[in-house]
Amino acid sequence: MKRCTIIGKTNVGKTLFLINFAEYLGVKLFNIELINKDSKKILYKINSKNAISRLVNEQPHKTRCVQAIEVNIPVGKGKKKIRLIDTTGFIDGIHPEVEIRKAISQTLTIIRDSDIILHIIDASTVYHKDLPSSLGEVDYQIAQFAQLKRGYVILANKMDLLGAEKGFLKIKEEFSGNLILPVSALYKRGFKEVKIFVAHNI
Amino acid sequence: MFDKENNEISNSIQINEMLVRGMITPVEALTLFIEIDSQKKSFNKKISEEENLEEVMKELDELVGLSKVKYLVKEIRAFTEIQKRRHEEKLLAEPQVLHMIFKGNPGTGKTTVARLLGKMFGHMRILQKGHTVEVERADLVGEYIGHTAQKTRDQIRRALGGILFVDEAYSLGRGGEKDFGKEAIDTLVKAMEDHKDNLIVILAGYKDEMDWFLQINPGLRSRFPIQIEFNDYSVKELMKIAKMMVEKRQYQFNPDALLLFETLLQNSKKDIFYDKLGNARLVRNMIEKALRRQALRLVKQKNISREDLLQICPEDISEVKVN
């Protein structure tokens, strides 16, 4: 099964994108597989509303381990199952908590084995340098790393917010040569293009 | 503090450990992963390219005769290898000019060799793509003033990163001073200089005509440092080619047919127009005709055995005429 990993800095909306994108693809009841830092798997079922309230938070580093779900992507006349993996957010510096550092290391291992990488950047905070989710050195490094892979796309998220349009243009300028799609994980906008991209690369 | 030069980090486990211990930032970890992965990727690419190159070399070696071409390819391959080593040692490594002139009668393997060279240079990274664009006078020369340069440039653009193979190139010199062929030659020469790192031009044609062509365009000779003559195949070589062609198509000559085939080829050698008959192409045409005749013979037959399907008999060949 092909693996599609969602990565990006902390607080850019990776988990919300996972839940809403999965819902967009027709998932009603989420069978979430949690892989904790000791590589142990925990399975649990949850519906999308509860998933958002339980897993999504405005505080950075809400996601502290890898969580994955299986979804069907329509390809041609049939469907293909892929594994959608949500990861812990990156930061530019060294995080003081060892648990987060472990989770980041786990993320790095996972993206090296992924077939498709969805790199989320917060378009609304591109010009706010001091926020944890704003565009940083790690984003450039991710782009360079992921270019070695075939299926790499940058998702400029939070397009519904003020200033995101300007941020999107800046992202386009900074990461020219890469495919960049504007999305709003909250309002499920731009998901069609993401679906087409994923279907094309599996 | 993380110091890249003092730490030899070879595997991903080490990188992850350093990340967990807080010795490096995620950015630094990613940089290291990029290094490891791109090294791995270029190593794999190199291996697959070498395999492909070996395959093309094998294909070239399987061609009958053509010892001069094979020798030239060995020379170029060795030269590229040495240039690479020189580059690694930070010595000056200049690329060579590889524009060529192929002289020879039809069917002596000029086009086949050009295609193989394209592929080979592609794998050797001498050319970016390694494709071959085959053109003739009509593709280069236009109908009105200014049309020719445009047409020629279009073909050159198609050939960038590969080989531009101009068949019957001497025809560009025909028609005297006012002919547009001259304009095509000038445009070609300019492109050869402009794109000398990414385009190889091969001019091909009959030996005598090409010699005449070079005589009336003296500037061309120095621009095409490699000149190869493709000699006519001997009957022995043609028989070898015939056997290979037949085997490739999963047929067999029976001994009588083989003898007859050889006699026919020997007779054709005496023909006054032999040089225009097409050497290996003549053999191919003769075989293809024989296969059609065999099919016609078998269709009339009631019981057809596997052996029948394989065998080419003298009656299939007897009427193959050199025309």
Side-chain angles (χ1 to χ4, degrees), chain B residues 80-95:
Chain B
T80 328
E81 200 60 41
I82 294 301
Q83 289 304 90
K84 235 182 247 168
R85 294 284 292 275
R86 282 177 64 95
H87 186 74
E88 281 167 15
E89 295 292 328
K90 303 219 165 37
L91 287 165
L92 208 62
E94 282 279 312

Side-chain angles (χ1 to χ4, degrees), chain B residues 254-290:
Chain B
N254 78 11
D256 290 342
L258 204 63
L259 212 64
L260 184 69
F261 203 88
E262 201 170 340
T263 323
L264 271 172
L265 282 178
Q266 253 152 7
N267 289 343
S268 79
K269 269 253 172 199
K270 291 171 200 153
D271 195 301
I272 189 166
F273 293 118
Y274 178 74
D275 59 342
K276 308 277 188 295
L277 285 176
N279 279 284
R281 205 173 296 141
L282 168 78
V283 172
R284 193 186 65 200
N285 291 344
M286 281 170 76
I287 287 172
E288 280 176 1
K289 195 162 180 187

Side-chain angles (χ1 to χ4, degrees), chain A residues 90-94 98 101-102 104-106 108-109 111-112 137-138 141-142 144-145 147-149, chain B residues 12 15-17 19-31 33-34 36-38 40-41:
Chain A
F90 285 112
I91 52 162
D92 282 326
I94 298 169
V98 72
R101 293 206 298 267
K102 269 188 188 173
I104 292 176
S105 134
Q106 195 189 14
L108 278 174
T109 313
I111 57 174
R112 288 185 81 208
E137 184 56 33
V138 77
Q141 221 54 23
I142 290 173
Q144 220 183 333
F145 174 75
Q147 267 166 3
L148 298 169
K149 297 203 176 277
Chain B
S12 48
I15 300 172
N16 276 334
E17 253 174 39
L19 185 69
V20 173
R21 282 190 200 151
M23 290 160 76
I24 53 172
T25 64
V27 177
E28 285 163 341
L30 273 166
T31 317
F33 276 130
I34 292 167
I36 292 181
D37 285 2
S38 54
K40 211 164 86 187
K41 207 173 172 183

Side-chain angles (χ1 to χ4, degrees), chain B residues 104-118:
Chain B
N105 287 326
T108 45
K110 296 187 293 291
T111 317
T112 315
V113 167
R115 284 180 198 155
L116 281 179
L117 283 182

Side-chain angles (χ1 to χ4, degrees), chain B residues 199-218:
Chain B
L199 174 75
I200 291 177
V201 177
I202 299 180
L203 302 183
Y206 293 110
K207 185 184 177 308
D208 294 343
E209 275 89 338
M210 285 310 285
D211 285 341
W212 163 82
F213 178 62
L214 291 176
Q215 247 173 30
I216 60 158
N217 294 288

